[in-house]
Amino acid sequence: MYPARARTYYARTRGSIHNRIDECIFCGFCMRKCPTHALEVKKADREWSINRFACIACGACVEACPKKCLDMKNTYTPPATGKSIDHYFRKEPATPAAPAAPAAAQNPAPVQAPMAQAAPAAAAAPAQNPAPVRAPAKAQTPVPPKSEAHA
Amino acid sequence: MAEKMIIPFGPQHPVLPEPIHLNLVMDDEKVVDVLPSIGFVHRGLEKLVKKKDFQEYTYVAERICGICSYMHGMGYCLAVEGIMQLEIPERAQMLRIVGAEFSRLHSHIMWLGLCADAFGFENLFMQSWRLRERILDLMEEITGGRVIFSAVKIGGVKRDLTPEMIAKIRAELDAMEPELRGLADVFIDNPTVRHRMEGVGVLTAEDARRLGVVGPMLRASGVAHDVRVTGYSGYDKLRIEPTVERAGDCMARCKVRIREIFQSIDLIRQALRILPEGPIDVPVKGNPKGEYYARLEQPRGEVIYYVKANGTKFLDRMRVRTPTFANIPAMVEIIKGSELADVPILIVTIDPCISCTER
C-alpha cells in the first residue's frame, strides 16, 4: 500500500553488504577496516557475521577484501523493531569434489597471512601442500584432519 | 520601564536544523540581549583522531555534519594530503570540484527552504526541497549516497564518472535551471517575503570584518572574500568571482546564496567541460608526519582544517574551525535589538550548522 510507487534504487546506491561466503577466506581484513566494528570474522568456525544496524554501508570492507567476495547491494536493510546480526556460515563440502580442491588450495595460504609473523616463508609459497597443515595447527582448530583429506 | 524576561529559544525549535540554545532577554517584544549555549551535538570527534587510523578517519570526518558532509571529507583529505605532499591527479581534482559544487547546490537550496519555513511560507519550503530532491537523486546515482556522498578518500576520489553520468548531470542541470530561477524569483520579488527580509538584521561591512564573519554573510555585507579564489584543489582552473551584495540585510544574504546556486551550476559545467582523462587516485604509502592548514569554501563559509601528524597511523591533532562557529558572534549581534518575531529568520540567515560547530 505504501509507497504507492516502489522506489527504484541506482546501481551505485550504498545499501547493504553481502558476502559470497563460498569465496570467503576469513582473512579478517574487512573486520580490521570496518570503521564501526560491525563485522566479526571467526576463522575457526568459518563464520562471517555483520551487525546490520552498526554497518554504515561505507564500502571500506568491499575495498579491503582481497578475494572481492563482498558486494555492496543497493537495497537497504529493512527497518526492524530489534537490532540484528546476520551470520554467514561456510559449510564444509561433503566430498572432496573439484570445487572443494581449489578452495582448499586457496584457503590455507591467505589464511596464513594474518598469522604469518612467525612464518613469512609459508606465506610466500602459496600453492605448496605443506602450508595447509601449518595453518590449522597454529589456529588449533578441529578442522586439520578434514583439510588434509581434501588436499 | 517594562520588566525584562528571558525567553528560551531552542534547542528544539521548528526552524532550527540542529539544536542550539539561546536565552533571549526580552524587553516586551524587543530582544535586548542574547546568551547562547552550544554543546548539544558535541560528539568529541576531534579526540577520535587519536583512536582511528588516519585513512579510516575520513569516514568520521564526512559525518561531522550531514549538510556539509562532502567538504568536511574533502577538507580532511586535503589537509592530510598536504602533509604527505601527495599530488592529486587532475581528473580527481575536477571530480572533487563537481562533488563540492553539488554539495553547495543542495545546501543552498535546503537553506532557501529553511528560510521560507522560518517566516512560515511552508509551500515555498516544500517547493525548494522538491527541487533539492532531484539533486540528491542525482548524487545518489553518482556517488551512492544522498546526503553522505562519501566519494573522497585520501589520494583522490573513490568512484569515477562515466560518460553517461556526465550526460545525465548536464541534462539535469539544464532542466533544473529554469525551475530554480522560478523559485529564486519568488524569494526576490514576492512582497510578503520581501517584507519579512528586507532591512532585517543589517550587518555593516565594518562590523562584519570586526566580528570575523565568513561566507555568504560576509559577502552580503559588501566584502568580496571567497576562499575558492585562492585556487585550492583545482579551483584555479575555473573562472570564479565572489558574489557580493551591499545591503547587508537578510534579503542580501538570500540573494548571495541564490546567486551562488547559479554560480555552482556554472562551475559544474565548467569543470565537466575541462575534465581531463587520467587516474582518479594515487596510492597512499606510509604515515603522515608534519602539520598542515587547509582552507576550503564550504556552503556556509570558510572552513579551516588544521591537522598535525607524528608519523604513526593515528593523527596527533585535528582541529576544524567551521564557518558557523565564526558567524555565531555576528548572529548574536544582529539579534540584539530586533523584534522577537524576527529571531527565527535572523538565526536561519547565518545558515547555522551546529553539528559542524560542535563536532
Side-chain angles (χ1 to χ4, degrees), chain B residues 83-116:
Chain B
I83 297 181
M84 300 175 84
Q85 288 168 354
L86 291 174
E87 271 297 322
I88 305 298
E90 281 196 19
R91 188 178 173 90
Q93 285 186 337
M94 285 298 131
L95 289 176
R96 279 182 177 180
I97 289 182
V98 170
E101 293 305 319
F102 265 114
S103 171
R104 195 184 316 276
L105 259 180
H106 106 79
S107 173
H108 281 333
I109 299 179
M110 184 180 110
W111 181 83
L112 283 178
L114 292 179
C115 176

Side-chain angles (χ1 to χ4, degrees), chain A residues 7 10 12-14 35 58 60, chain B residues 52 140 142 144 148-149 160:
Chain A
R7 185 173 184 264
Y10 300 103
R12 285 190 180 177
T13 299
R14 296 193 304 271
C58 64
Chain B
K52 284 208 176 289
E140 187 180 357
I142 291 169
I148 307 283
F149 298 168
D160 205 350

Side-chain angles (χ1 to χ4, degrees), chain B residues 45 66 351:
Chain B
L45 296 181
D351 209 352

Side-chain angles (χ1 to χ4, degrees), chain A residues 76-138:
Chain A
Y76 292 109
T77 306
T81 50
K83 295 193 181 177
S84 64
I85 299 182
D86 276 359
H87 301 267
Y88 289 71
F89 290 97
R90 182 170 178 161
K91 293 186 277 293
E92 288 300 320
T95 52
Q106 278 177 15
N107 254 340
V111 160
Q112 278 181 51
M115 320 178 312
Q117 288 94 21
Q128 290 176 16
N129 270 335
V133 178
R134 250 183 299 199
K138 278 198 165 86

